[in-house]
């Protein structure tokens, strides 16, 4: 299942996302009063995705969790596509946004990275939901506004700031995916150390310092340092440091990208 945001009906999606900001007489649906609040539906859908992943998030399973008939759920939400936008935008809306105050822009950018990393820790499904066409709800807009402000004082122009933010968030998201994958692999098939204990002796005959001198030397050093061929947590820390350095170099070039 290829899960992407903003793949439903645009008008219906935007009405649902901005429902609390609409005039009282502009409800997207009219008719008899319904028994559920939208927030109750969003919270139940989020819990279902948190517990079992996006593949488990279907209209039928959500209806079962809410103890209503599946067809009743469609009187609130047109379908699963709109539901995905709602739970992601709600997750964005609930992200903490403490004042940056006088911290240097590099410190603020690190805080943005940490905030998104924490989001993916709470809601691992969010890292696997394609947002090339983002949900343009209040959560997305508040998140974008806040994170752009982290670059105030960097000297970057508007387009370069947008590029820099996209670059940062893409890195964090990919790192989070790797960490989730490592966790799932460990649960399914044991630890990396257990895997290497079994595979290592079998590989030693063909993969050695004579046939692959660089790979053997560097790989052994990395494995000894991290206890694995790949440590996603170390990769995140190292990658974030290099990402900040790259953005500093970009900033020293002046207000580029406009």
């Amino acid at each position: 299942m290829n899960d992407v945001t903003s793949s439903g009906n645009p008008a219906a999606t935007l009405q649902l996302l901005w429902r609390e900001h609409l005039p009282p007489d502009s409800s997207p649906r009219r008719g008899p009063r319904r028994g559920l609040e939208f927030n109750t539906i969003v919270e139940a859908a989020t819990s279902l995705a948190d517990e079992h992943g996006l593949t488990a998030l279907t209209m039928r399973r959500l209806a079962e969790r809410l103890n209503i008939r599946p067809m009743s759920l469609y009187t609130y939400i047109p379908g699963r596509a709109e539901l995905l936008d709602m739970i992601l935008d709600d997750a964005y809306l609930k992200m903490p946004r403490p004042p940056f105050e006088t911290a240097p822009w590099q410190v603020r950018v690190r805080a943005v990275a940490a905030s998104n990393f924490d989001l993916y820790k709470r809601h691992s499904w969010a890292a696997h939901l394609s947002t090339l066409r983002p949900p343009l709800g209040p959560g997305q807009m508040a998140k974008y506004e806040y994170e752009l402000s982290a670059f105030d004082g960097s000297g970057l122009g508007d387009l370069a700031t947008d590029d820099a933010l996209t670059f940062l968030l893409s890195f964090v998201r990919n790192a989070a995916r790797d960490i989730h994958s490592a966790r799932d692999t460990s649960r399914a098939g044991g630890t990396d150390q257990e895997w290497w204990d079994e595979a290592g002796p079998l590989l030693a005959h063909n993969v050695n310092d004579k046939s692959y001198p660089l790979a053997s030397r560097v790989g052994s050093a990395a494995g000894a340092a991290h206890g694995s061929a790949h440590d996603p947590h170390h990769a995140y820390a190292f990658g974030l440091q290099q990402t900040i350095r790259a953005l500093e170099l970009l900033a020293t070039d002046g207000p580029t990208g406009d």
Side-chain angles (χ1 to χ4, degrees), residues 189-210:
T191 66
D192 281 356
Q193 187 60 55
E194 291 170 340
W195 188 90
W196 280 108
D197 287 344
E198 183 174 351
L202 300 175
L203 290 172
H205 178 70
N206 294 313
V207 181
N208 52 60
D209 56 3
K210 292 182 179 179

Side-chain angles (χ1 to χ4, degrees), residues 214-235:
L214 285 175
S216 295
R217 188 182 78 240
V218 175
S220 296
H226 308 309
S228 173
H230 176 68
D231 179 353
H233 290 280
H234 168 77

